[in-house]
Amino acid sequence: MFEGRSAFVTGGGTGIGFACAKAIVDGGGEVTIAGRREDVLRTAAKELGEGAAWATCDITDTTSVADAVAAAVARHGALQLAVNSAYQAMVGSFLATPADLFAMTTDATLNGTYRAMQAEGAAMRAAGGGSIVNISSVASARSGRWEAAYSASKAGVDMLTRVAADEWGQYGIRVNSVLPGLITTETAAPLTDDPATRDGFVRQTPLGRLGAPDEVARAVAFLLSDQASFITGQCLGVDGGLALRGLPEPEHGDLLRSLIPDFFTE
């Protein structure tokens, strides 16, 4: 599926990002996984095998992102594929969350995706085309109390996806996003490990269970591949139907309050 192609994956050391990198390598491609934690990247790249390399990358720093993409091109040649999975999340009520903390989330999750897309898009234009998939969230489409920064950032990612798809079609670059529901990953552990919260999400999900990283990765692999050659600017839900019903209440909110009570107010 991906023979002779190289990919760059932010947040590729764990969770959905790692699953996407594995799907690319399993499909015959080469991949550079990027993130902040060198030890995690080294371990993940070793597990992925010979087709994988790693590069440290801070998505809040434009130079760091550009250098990581350049390293991927230097290692594996022309860049044709990219997955943007890195993000930062915080929760808190509108009235209690300081604006600087809101900005930290948007800078990493929204601006960080923008930085990565800029570097990837330039590399793909030079290569004659490519495919980018951004990892968004069901929270971009369904509002949830106390998730203003995260939800707004992910909604922005979806709009970046559409705008880039429109602008870059002329270069042969396709851009899409996927909107996962609650997936069993390291970063989602505070939600998935809490019985009441987990059960609430399961109840709100028509398929009656949580998702796995490889299920998201299979959708991403499809969008990256030539099987999706006439698909661009689309935001695909991979959520078991969670968007149909929305986030669970009150379980979800009760957990968020318990995690960071200082950022909540009535």
Side-chain angles (χ1 to χ4, degrees):
M1 181 182 290
F2 301 119
E3 290 82 0
R5 300 183 186 183
S6 70
F8 179 75
V9 180
T10 70
T14 61
I16 291 173
F18 177 81
C20 292
K22 185 176 187 303
I24 291 166
V25 171
D26 288 349
E30 295 178 315
V31 65
T32 298
I33 56 174
R36 292 178 298 176
R37 297 179 292 172
E38 182 176 328
D39 57 332
V40 171
L41 295 172
R42 285 182 179 273
T43 300
K46 183 177 181 180
E47 183 175 345
L48 290 169
E50 294 183 359
W54 60 271
T56 55
C57 175
D58 179 357
I59 58 171
T60 67
D61 183 277
T62 301
T63 299
S64 176
V65 174
D67 288 348
V69 172
V73 172
R75 176 65 181 268
H76 291 141
L79 184 69
Q80 296 98 359
L81 310 171
V83 180
N84 295 311
S85 183
Y87 73 100
Q88 178 177 314
M90 76 148 299
V91 292
S93 72
F94 250 103
L95 296 180
T97 302
D100 58 343
L101 292 182
F102 182 96
M104 284 177 58
T105 298
T106 56
D107 188 42
T109 303
L110 177 57
N111 299 355
T113 300
Y114 180 81
R115 294 182 184 101
M117 290 175 68
Q118 269 198 324
E120 295 155 0
M124 289 181 184
R125 182 173 64 175
S131 180
I132 298 172
V133 178
N134 295 319
I135 307 301
S136 180
S137 169
V138 65
S140 73
R142 289 297 300 263
S143 63
R145 288 190 291 169
W146 308 305
E147 294 189 353
Y150 179 69
S151 294
S153 296
K154 288 299 190 178
V157 167
D158 286 343
M159 188 51 70
L160 288 181
T161 296
R162 296 185 181 101
V163 172
D166 191 4
E167 290 192 17
W168 296 349
Q170 62 184 317
Y171 306 128
I173 301 171
R174 296 185 298 105
V175 189
N176 295 285
S177 71
V178 296
L179 286 62
L182 185 57
I183 308 298
T184 53
T185 65
E186 173 187 302
T187 55
L191 300 179
T192 59
D193 291 349
D194 179 73
T197 301
R198 182 180 62 247
D199 292 347
F201 271 95
V202 169
R203 185 179 63 250
Q204 290 296 100
T205 303
L207 291 185
R209 62 178 178 84
L210 304 183
D214 66 291
E215 292 179 298
V216 180
R218 287 198 293 270
V220 171
F222 165 72
L223 290 171
L224 289 174
S225 75
D226 288 342
Q227 293 178 344
S229 58
F230 203 54
I231 299 175
T232 195
Q234 302 304 305
C235 304
L236 175 66
V238 187
D239 62 358
L242 177 61
L244 299 172
R245 298 178 181 174
L247 299 178
E249 293 288 355
E251 297 92 342
H252 184 48
D254 289 343
L255 176 65
L256 298 185
R257 285 175 179 270
S258 70
L259 292 174
I260 47 173
D262 290 346
F263 297 152
F264 287 87
T265 186
E266 295 299 337

